[in-house]
Amino acid sequence: MTKRLWNGWSNRIRFRLLPASRGGRSAAEAAREIAAAARASRRRAMRLALRAGLAALLLAGAPAAAASPAAGAAPAAPPPAAATDGPGGSAVPVQAAGGGRDEPQPAAWLIKWRDPAQAKPLPGTRVLRRLALPGAAVDVVRPADAGADADAWLLGLRGRPEIAYAQPVGAVRMLAAEPAPNDPELPKQRYLAQIGAREAWTKVHDQTDLTIALIDTGVDLNHPDLKNNLVPGTNLVSPGKPPEDDNGHGTAVAGVIAGEGNNKAGITGILWHARIMPVKALDADGYGDEERLGEAITYAVDHGARILVLSVGLYRYSPYLKDVTAYAESKGALLVAASGNDGGTLEAKAKVKYPAAYPTVLAVAGATASGAPETRSNAGPEIDVAAPWSVYTTAVGGGYKQEQGTSMAAPQAAAAAALVWALHPGYKPYQVRALLRQSAKDIGSPGFDNLSGYGLLRIDKAVAAALRPDAYEPNDGRQTAKLFPLGKQIAAELGGGKDADWFRVEAPYDGTVAIRVQSLPAAGESAPTLRVTHAGDASPGGTQDTKLGNQTVEWRVKKGRNDFEVRLFDGASKQRLAYLLTSSFEIAPDAYEVNDKPYQAYTLPPRSQRVEGNFHQANDEDWYAIRFETGGTLKLSATADSARLDLGLAYERQGGTLLEEDENGEGEGEASPPINVTPGTYYIRVRNAISAQASPVPAQYALNVQFATRHADPNEPNDKTYQATNVSPGSGYSGVIGKAGDADWYQLRIGGERLTTLRIGGIPAGIVMKAELFDKRQQPLYTLKSASGAASMSREKVLAAGLYYIKVTASAPFDKQYYGLRVTAETLVAGFRDIGGHWAGSAVAALRQRGIVGGSGDYRFEPDRPVSRAEAVSMLTRAIAPAAGAARAPAFRDVGAGHWAYAAVANASRAGWIGGYPNGTFGPGRPISREEMAVVLLRALNVRTARPGGPVFADVPADRWSSPAVAAAKRLGLMGGYAGGRFEPERSATRAEFAAVLLRALNAGNLG
């Protein structure tokens, strides 16, 4: 089976302002006054807010690094490189690593000393800076311990008599109206409220400093809501043509990202103004291949794209695409991809598709309109965030429509990344991914979960949050180890030699976990040695040191939880080190290895059983052997636990032909028909047929073997017409004639006129079988009887729509093996079974209707067989009656009066259409070449020809004997050539080609 790519939405942050503490009060009194302040009058609240605003304005005057805002962006917070423990301050977490439901604490607090002379260090408090206020002492502070209870710490400050007030640093903004886009379709875009887009727009809504590549089916280049946000792209499906959308999918994705905002038309994209590069890599049906997808990614990166949106995917792991995604990341590009939409049909078997499943690709799942994880989207540890599944967006032709799927969720995350980069242009791709994870809203199981990753995308939080260099703290001990999703890359930081980071990995099976460790030392510092330990592993490799800045370590692990510790090798070091971890997993070989070849087949006992295996290496095949001492019936089936497997199940008797079942798709099972087993050895092969070069897959299959030594008729009772077993055309049925006088009745219903073939196989030696066909009134239509010693028999007959009965009997009872019954029903086109769907089918049918062509027997036309000279002349004389010639037709030694084409050959020869060979023969059975076809046809049509002035085709020069006829046939549109400007004159013409050319000539009328 050919596997193809496939292609198929807020809460505002609230700051709590508390009154300053007065001297002489106890902590309890302060607490009571704090509670009373929450119920104070509106005027007092406004006064406190103004005080907070003034303090923030004063704070804004303090030294701090800031990124240059992009167009449409408010001033940004400094990136993590500047937010360290130095004078520039320290980033404060907005929420936990897995997303949080609680509102964030302020980044800092302001405290004023009643007497500047009383200013002194306070326990548990870190002073960030002193504000320059004449005659006053105001400090910017925060808890010394990032994990401390901020409310308890603040209560302690306000209880100190020497402090006049302690209040959070509040945000201020100009008193202008909030930007509200004036696009009329905006009310239909309800998903924007789920992801906080409107709140985010108060801070930033444009991103024109970078390019976003949309790798899809193209874009409606003239859509009024998109055209101003497009930059030149490319068409890889039809090179040289513009990347116009002929499917609609790419246009829908583009509208989610950047439907032009505030233009009084249509919808509002998350980005009002942007630079979208359409890269058409999928055809009109939404399909492409990995080679073209890789080319599209490379093109986009090489042409300056910083974000690449990939609402496409396949289940098969591709080393090539992994290399391409790594190349994109190395160039500073962020890839965003949809996880897939098969959760509703494949359920737990649905896995995150590639490229979303690669470690550095931002994988986006779906969320429902109520903010819950969307179970129809593909789940897995590779998911980063979720975004609304259903959107209202742009459509081809300048319109708008409702769309759904992770294809619509991914562009929301891509647009969010663009806004983050507008505020933080210095961020690396991994930092953008980290901020989107940290600012997500937890909507599934607490913390990370396979359905929604770190949570629901929240753009408002992402553009307002400060990136935490290590969002997994506190994780200093094994008991606080944080989940490290398999197949992903995460960022963390060590605070020195005393710090340790613990992570847990959930292994889906026994196997090997590999962790790539990349050190990110500060400028001017070298990468220190890191020590990584697999907890509980007493083997020599349980602890491994990474002496390089980029190194991979691996361990054999058991299914389930595995804990790992990362720390500096030098326990006395003061160096702070940021680092990246990238995890991968390989399943351990199954219990039946090594069994990759027939001669290595693992021997199974001759009984019913279940075998579990896997494909742990590239191109892995698992062979099994069963030796049966007695006859019986064998039934095989195989099931997979993952859509990353497309099983192929094959079987053979030793020395026989290997038969494979591979009818179903990814994640589905395969089954054999009942196999009549005789004593001997049988081989079974299970493989991953998803690709000719299948990669290892962390998944399992189950091979089910059912063996019955007794042959019971599965269709009994069916001894009477009213007990007849229903037969579906194309399906196989088995039975036995268990006793003397036994008859098996079957019922067949035909939906329209069909050529039916009744076949009985598996006839035992020494047995003669008979099959009788009756209509619904029990009138006999025919009787089929096997020849002596024959193992099968069959008969064809055209049947009209209706109900039919089949009666099967035998000359003697048998139950040592099954006989097999199968009925096929084929649709005839113009009386032929082999032209339906053929490129020349309509031409053959038209000539058949005119009585010009006939078949070759067996209801076949054989369109792709070379047409013989006699056949060509016969068709030609039926189509164009030859004029009676004065001369007598020459006689050909090989076309006597008894030859079936004698009259046609004689008439054509008399008319001067054809000639023979020097030896007096005509060669009626020889194939006619393409140039001969052109010459004979033009003679029959009485078309004047002339030698051309130059080559007609690259292989038909002007001096070739057939060039006048070939030139005329080309000029009249009767015949064409092949790639490279070739005609291939000596190539044999097929029956289909001759029929098609002949019909063109007849339809063209008088060509002379």
Side-chain angles (χ1 to χ4, degrees):
M1 298 178 66
T2 302
K3 306 303 169 193
R4 310 174 81 184
L5 298 178
W6 65 269
N7 69 301
W9 289 80
S10 106
N11 295 324
R12 188 183 303 274
I13 298 178
R14 294 183 295 273
F15 294 95
R16 181 173 55 188
L17 302 177
L18 299 178
S21 175
R22 292 192 179 91
R25 297 175 298 166
S26 67
E29 289 172 336
R32 286 194 296 271
E33 290 197 22
I34 292 170
R39 303 186 296 272
S41 67
R42 182 176 180 181
R43 184 174 57 188
R44 178 172 175 82
M46 291 175 64
R47 191 162 58 245
L48 290 173
L50 288 172
R51 181 183 298 171
L54 176 61
L57 288 171
L58 293 171
L59 176 60
S68 300
T84 61
D85 284 342
S90 176
V92 176
V94 170
Q95 61 185 65
R101 305 178 191 273
D102 296 330
E103 295 177 0
Q105 291 287 353
W109 284 259
L110 299 172
I111 64 170
K112 179 182 178 181
W113 299 90
R114 295 185 180 278
D115 184 353
Q118 293 180 323
K120 60 184 178 181
L122 297 172
T125 302
R126 179 179 173 188
V127 178
L128 302 179
R129 64 183 66 82
R130 168 69 57 83
L131 298 183
L133 290 177
V138 178
D139 291 337
V140 183
V141 300
R142 57 168 288 183
D145 182 4
D149 185 338
D151 289 337
W153 168 77
L154 186 61
L155 191 63
L157 288 183
R158 290 182 173 145
R160 302 185 70 88
E162 64 269 35
I163 293 179
Y165 59 75
Q167 65 180 51
V169 176
V172 296
R173 55 168 298 179
M174 65 181 181
L175 298 179
E178 291 187 5
N182 54 20
D183 304 294
E185 300 285 357
L186 179 59
K188 296 181 181 179
Q189 297 177 267
R190 289 181 289 274
Y191 69 95
L192 294 174
Q194 281 185 266
I195 57 176
R198 289 175 180 254
E199 291 84 352
W201 290 339
T202 66
K203 192 174 184 69
V204 59
H205 47 67
D206 295 346
Q207 173 53 285
T208 56
D209 291 336
L210 57 77
T211 299
I212 303 172
L214 176 56
I215 299 174
D216 214 286
T217 61
V219 172
D220 182 346
L221 303 179
N222 293 312
H223 198 292
D225 237 359
L226 296 174
K227 61 183 181 180
N228 292 334
N229 282 341
L230 299 178
V231 298
T234 190
N235 187 332
L236 301 178
V237 176
S238 299
K241 294 183 178 180
E244 193 70 55
D245 192 355
D246 51 9
N247 173 278
H249 187 267
T251 298
V253 174
V256 174
I257 302 173
E260 186 176 0
N262 209 36
N263 65 342
K264 298 181 181 181
I267 63 166
T268 309
I270 296 173
L271 302 178
W272 295 9
H273 301 98
R275 293 169 52 84
I276 303 297
M277 175 197 293
V279 180
K280 182 172 177 58
L282 305 180
D283 62 21
D285 295 323
Y287 289 100
D289 56 44
E290 60 187 285
E291 178 185 0
R292 193 189 298 152
L293 183 59
E295 182 184 358
I297 294 172
T298 304
Y299 173 91
V301 173
D302 291 346
H303 286 77
R306 192 77 184 279
I307 298 174
L308 285 71
V309 186
L310 300 144
S311 289
V312 299
L314 71 164
Y315 280 117
R316 183 174 67 82
Y317 174 89
S318 167
Y320 164 70
L321 281 183
K322 185 179 180 183
D323 289 343
V324 172
T325 59
Y327 169 75
E329 178 93 359
S330 72
K331 296 298 184 180
L334 173 67
L335 274 65
V336 184
S339 71
N341 307 324
D342 299 329
T345 53
L346 295 179
E347 298 179 338
K349 294 182 181 181
K351 306 300 178 183
V352 177
K353 291 191 170 186
Y354 298 100
Y358 293 121
T360 60
V361 177
L362 187 72
V364 188
T368 67
S370 62
E374 174 55 72
T375 57
R376 289 176 291 178
S377 68
N378 294 15
E382 303 92 346
I383 297 295
D384 288 292
V385 294
W389 169 276
S390 181
V391 304
Y392 187 75
T393 184
T394 46
V396 168
Y400 304 89
K401 63 178 179 178
Q402 198 76 25
E403 278 288 356
Q404 61 181 16
T406 55
S407 288
M408 301 301 117
Q412 299 173 56
L419 292 179
V420 168
W421 251 323
L423 296 172
H424 306 288
Y427 277 12
K428 303 294 185 184
Y430 78 86
Q431 293 172 308
V432 176
R433 285 194 301 269
L435 184 55
L436 293 181
R437 294 171 181 168
Q438 293 173 25
S439 57
K441 177 184 178 182
D442 198 353
I443 59 172
S445 302
F448 179 92
D449 65 83
N450 286 353
L451 275 172
S452 61
Y454 291 91
L456 177 67
L457 178 72
R458 286 302 300 249
I459 305 179
D460 54 339
K461 301 295 194 295
V463 300
L467 175 64
R468 298 181 64 187
D470 190 343
Y472 300 91
E473 292 287 356
N475 63 337
D476 299 333
R478 186 175 182 183
Q479 67 279 7
T480 57
K482 293 300 191 298
L483 178 65
F484 181 6
L486 269 178
K488 296 306 291 184
Q489 182 185 85
I490 63 173
E493 183 180 76
L494 288 169
K498 302 300 182 184
D499 192 11
D501 288 348
W502 280 86
F503 301 95
R504 77 175 194 274
V505 169
E506 296 292 340
Y509 312 94
D510 293 354
T512 300
V513 166
I515 299 178
R516 179 186 178 192
V517 185
Q518 296 170 265
S519 297
L520 304 174
E525 296 182 344
S526 60
T529 299
L530 292 177
R531 169 157 289 182
V532 189
T533 301
H534 178 210
D537 188 344
S539 69
T543 295
Q544 300 186 48
D545 297 332
T546 64
K547 299 180 180 180
L548 304 175
N550 188 339
Q551 186 173 337
T552 299
V553 291
E554 59 182 41
W555 297 267
R556 292 182 179 177
V557 298
K558 292 293 184 180
K559 177 182 178 179
R561 175 168 175 164
N562 288 266
D563 295 336
F564 297 89
E565 180 197 45
V566 181
R567 66 184 313 130
L568 294 177
F569 177 81
D570 182 1
S573 174
K574 302 297 183 182
Q575 181 179 359
R576 298 183 68 89
L577 179 70
Y579 63 93
L580 301 176
L581 298 180
T582 307
S583 63
S584 60
F585 177 80
E586 290 186 359
I587 195 169
D590 59 53
Y592 306 96
E593 291 288 351
V594 177
N595 62 339
D596 303 322
K597 304 292 181 183
Y599 61 83
Q600 298 171 319
Y602 186 93
T603 301
L604 298 173
R607 56 175 172 79
S608 296
Q609 57 202 291
R610 175 185 171 92
V611 174
E612 291 186 349
N614 64 60
F615 307 113
H616 72 286
Q617 60 187 0
N619 304 318
D620 197 3
E621 293 185 349
D622 288 349
W623 285 84
Y624 303 92
I626 305 177
R627 177 165 182 79
F628 295 99
E629 301 297 335
T630 60
T633 301
L634 179 66
K635 184 84 165 58
L636 304 173
S637 64
T639 57
D641 67 358
S642 169
R644 291 176 181 166
L645 295 181
D646 178 10
L647 296 177
L649 174 62
Y651 49 90
E652 67 176 345
R653 194 181 193 281
Q654 188 175 32
T657 301
L658 186 68
L659 304 175
E660 182 169 58
E661 304 292 337
D662 183 19
E663 295 298 320
N664 300 317
E666 294 142 333
E668 299 180 292
E670 299 291 346
S672 73
I675 304 168
N676 291 323
V677 170
T678 57
T681 300
Y682 287 74
Y683 290 95
I684 304 167
R685 184 191 70 187
V686 185
R687 68 186 182 99
N688 188 8
I690 200 167
S691 168
Q693 300 291 326
S695 298
V697 181
Q700 286 186 332
Y701 68 83
L703 170 65
N704 296 290
V705 179
Q706 293 178 295
F707 178 65
T709 56
R710 292 170 48 181
H711 291 81
D713 194 327
N715 304 307
E716 290 291 352
N718 65 340
D719 301 331
K720 307 293 183 182
T721 56
Y722 58 82
Q723 297 172 321
T725 301
N726 288 321
V727 171
S728 296
S731 298
Y733 299 85
S734 300
V736 297
I737 304 300
K739 59 184 178 181
D742 189 13
D744 289 349
W745 283 87
Y746 298 90
Q747 183 185 92
L748 172 67
R749 187 176 295 277
I750 301 294
E753 185 180 72
R754 299 288 188 272
L755 172 63
T756 60
T757 302
L758 170 61
R759 185 182 188 280
I760 304 290
I763 302 174
I767 299 293
V768 173
M769 295 194 70
K770 183 168 66 173
E772 300 170 82
L773 181 69
F774 301 87
D775 64 16
K776 65 180 180 180
R777 293 183 296 275
Q778 301 297 305
Q779 297 300 309
L781 299 179
Y782 68 72
T783 297
L784 176 63
K785 190 174 181 179
S786 65
S788 178
S792 64
M793 59 180 181
S794 63
R795 180 165 175 175
E796 295 179 339
K797 185 175 179 61
V798 176
L799 296 179
L803 184 66
Y804 299 88
Y805 292 92
I806 303 168
K807 180 183 178 182
V808 178
T809 57
S811 60
F814 61 89
D815 61 1
K816 298 302 182 184
Q817 73 180 66
Y818 282 116
Y819 73 83
L821 179 146
R822 184 183 296 269
V823 178
T824 58
E826 301 175 72
T827 301
L828 298 178
V829 178
F832 300 121
R833 72 203 304 176
D834 56 356
I835 66 170
H838 193 278
W839 68 267
S842 59
V844 175
L847 294 180
R848 172 76 167 194
Q849 187 176 15
R850 300 185 190 186
I852 295 173
V853 300
S856 58
D858 197 25
Y859 301 97
R860 299 181 187 277
F861 180 73
E862 298 185 278
D864 297 319
R865 177 173 61 79
V867 61
S868 69
R869 288 166 58 86
E871 288 173 327
V873 170
S874 179
M875 283 189 263
L876 198 55
T877 56
R878 292 195 197 107
I880 306 170
R888 180 173 178 174
F892 298 113
R893 290 191 295 110
D894 53 354
V895 185
H899 193 279
W900 69 269
Y902 173 76
V905 172
N907 290 335
S909 176
R910 187 179 299 111
W913 295 359
I914 60 173
Y917 294 98
N919 63 359
T921 63
F922 176 68
R926 292 181 57 177
I928 190 170
S929 68
R930 284 170 52 81
E931 61 184 344
E932 288 174 326
M933 177 171 65
V935 171
V936 172
L937 180 62
L938 292 182
R939 287 176 183 171
L941 294 172
N942 197 27
V943 175
R944 295 181 180 179
T945 61
R947 188 164 300 280
V952 185
F953 291 95
D955 52 356
V956 182
D959 59 354
R960 188 178 181 90
W961 72 272
S962 62
S963 65
V966 173
K970 177 183 179 183
R971 173 175 54 81
L972 296 173
L974 301 181
M975 299 180 69
Y978 297 95
R982 301 181 61 80
F983 181 73
E984 300 190 19
E986 297 177 2
R987 177 176 172 174
S988 297
T990 66
R991 287 167 58 83
E993 288 176 322
F994 194 89
V997 172
L998 180 56
L999 182 64
R1000 289 189 199 120
L1002 295 177
N1003 290 340
N1006 183 9
L1007 299 175

